[in-house]
């Protein structure tokens, strides 16, 4: 089981080829792939054409879906953000803090291209699915 971040899904739907999209393509249908509610929102809001939106929504609805935030995860995410700030690292997007924190708590590898996740790998135990 892996969770796939919007950074990879966006590249995948745009036809961008990289290590992460190749990995995603090779695992679709053969490994359990999850998506978080925040990730789903980030991916689907980017489609301009209704046809593309509906096609992506159909594909993504077949994945295991996770609700990434609740009160407990909000506290954990805020603490993780603060721990990185104490190290002089500021994560740019709150959604990335929530996604990384959820994966750390649930011990779920994350497939990503967004550099904001790297400090979570280095300092907090986030598992990079592409390694």
């Amino acid at each position: 089981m892996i969770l796939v971040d919007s950074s990879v899904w966006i590249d995948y739907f745009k036809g961008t080829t990289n290590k992460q999209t190749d990995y995603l393509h090779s695992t679709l249908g053969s490994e359990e792939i999850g998506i978080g509610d925040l990730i789903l929102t980030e991916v689907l809001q980017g489609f301009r054409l209704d046809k593309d939106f509906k096609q992506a929504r159909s594909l993504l609805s077949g994945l295991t879906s996770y609700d990434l935030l609740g009160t407990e995860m909000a506290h954990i995410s805020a603490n993780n953000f603060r721990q990185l700030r104490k190290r002089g690292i500021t994560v740019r997007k709150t959604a990335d803090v929530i996604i990384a924190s959820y994966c750390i708590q649930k011990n779920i590898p994350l497939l990503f291209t967004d550099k904001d996740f790297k400090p979570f790998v280095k300092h907090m135990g986030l598992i990079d699915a592409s390694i």
Side-chain angles (χ1 to χ4, degrees):
M1 161 60 154
I2 62 168
L3 197 74
V4 179
D5 180 54
S6 60
S7 58
V8 177
W9 283 116
I10 291 166
D11 283 350
Y12 182 78
F13 285 120
K14 285 174 28 181
T16 302
T17 301
N18 56 40
K19 180 173 82 168
Q20 290 82 5
T21 57
D22 287 347
Y23 181 79
L24 175 59
H25 185 73
S26 71
T27 58
L28 278 170
S30 64
E31 184 175 331
E32 186 178 359
I33 295 175
I35 190 163
D37 51 359
L38 295 173
I39 298 165
L40 183 63
T41 301
E42 289 178 329
V43 173
L44 291 178
Q45 71 188 6
F47 289 98
R48 294 177 195 255
L49 300 176
D50 288 342
K51 175 184 94 147
D52 296 337
F53 172 82
K54 290 174 184 174
Q55 184 178 19
R57 186 177 62 187
S58 176
L59 170 73
L60 297 173
S61 69
L63 303 176
T64 303
S65 183
Y66 295 96
D67 295 328
L68 300 180
L69 191 62
T71 303
E72 181 181 356
M73 281 308 304
H75 291 182
I76 291 167
S77 296
N79 187 56
N80 287 345
F81 179 87
R82 293 179 68 252
Q83 293 305 313
L84 289 175
R85 285 252 325 249
K86 287 178 185 179
R87 293 177 175 267
I89 301 164
T90 302
V91 179
R92 299 172 297 149
K93 293 177 271 182
T94 301
D96 291 348
V97 176
I98 294 165
I99 294 163
S101 297
Y102 184 87
C103 288
I104 292 165
Q105 282 300 115
K106 305 295 183 181
N107 201 34
I108 299 172
L110 179 65
L111 185 64
F112 63 89
T113 60
D114 188 326
K115 67 181 180 179
D116 276 338
F117 292 110
K118 290 183 185 252
F120 290 97
V121 172
K122 183 175 181 181
H123 301 291
M124 307 202 84
L126 176 65
I127 301 166
D128 183 345
S130 68
I131 296 177

